[in-house]
């Protein structure tokens, strides 16, 4: 499992002109090797619009260890 940083998701979801190509490339490359995941705090901290805008290829959420 590969924990994806929230900034990478923000770059992709907001179509950041400086970072989106790099972020998409990293997600594609590493998802060939590892199953990408985020924790629910990162995934949904942007509010409902961010979660709803996440395409099906977005990393799954994983619980935060206690």
């Amino acid at each position: 499992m590969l924990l994806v940083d929230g900034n990478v998701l923000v770059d992709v979801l907001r179509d950041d002109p400086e970072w989106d190509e790099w972020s998409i490339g990293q997600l594609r490359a590493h998802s060939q090797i590892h199953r990408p995941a985020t924790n629910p705090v990162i995934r949904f901290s942007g509010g409902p619009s961010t979660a709803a805008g996440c395409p099906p290829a977005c990393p799954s959420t994983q619980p935060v260890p206690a």
Side-chain angles (χ1 to χ4, degrees):
M1 176 173 52
L2 173 73
L3 186 60
V4 178
D5 184 82
N7 290 318
V8 171
L9 294 178
V10 169
D11 294 343
V12 173
L13 292 174
R14 293 193 177 164
D15 198 23
D16 185 288
E18 186 174 346
W19 290 103
D20 70 330
E21 287 185 34
W22 182 88
S23 295
I24 290 168
Q26 294 299 309
L27 283 172
R28 285 183 177 152
H30 290 284
S31 67
Q32 300 281 328
I33 303 165
H34 307 284
R35 183 172 56 100
T38 64
N39 68 48
V41 174
I42 297 294
R43 176 87 178 263
F44 298 108
S45 64
S49 61
T50 303
C54 196
C58 274
S60 63
T61 57
Q62 298 297 314
V64 178

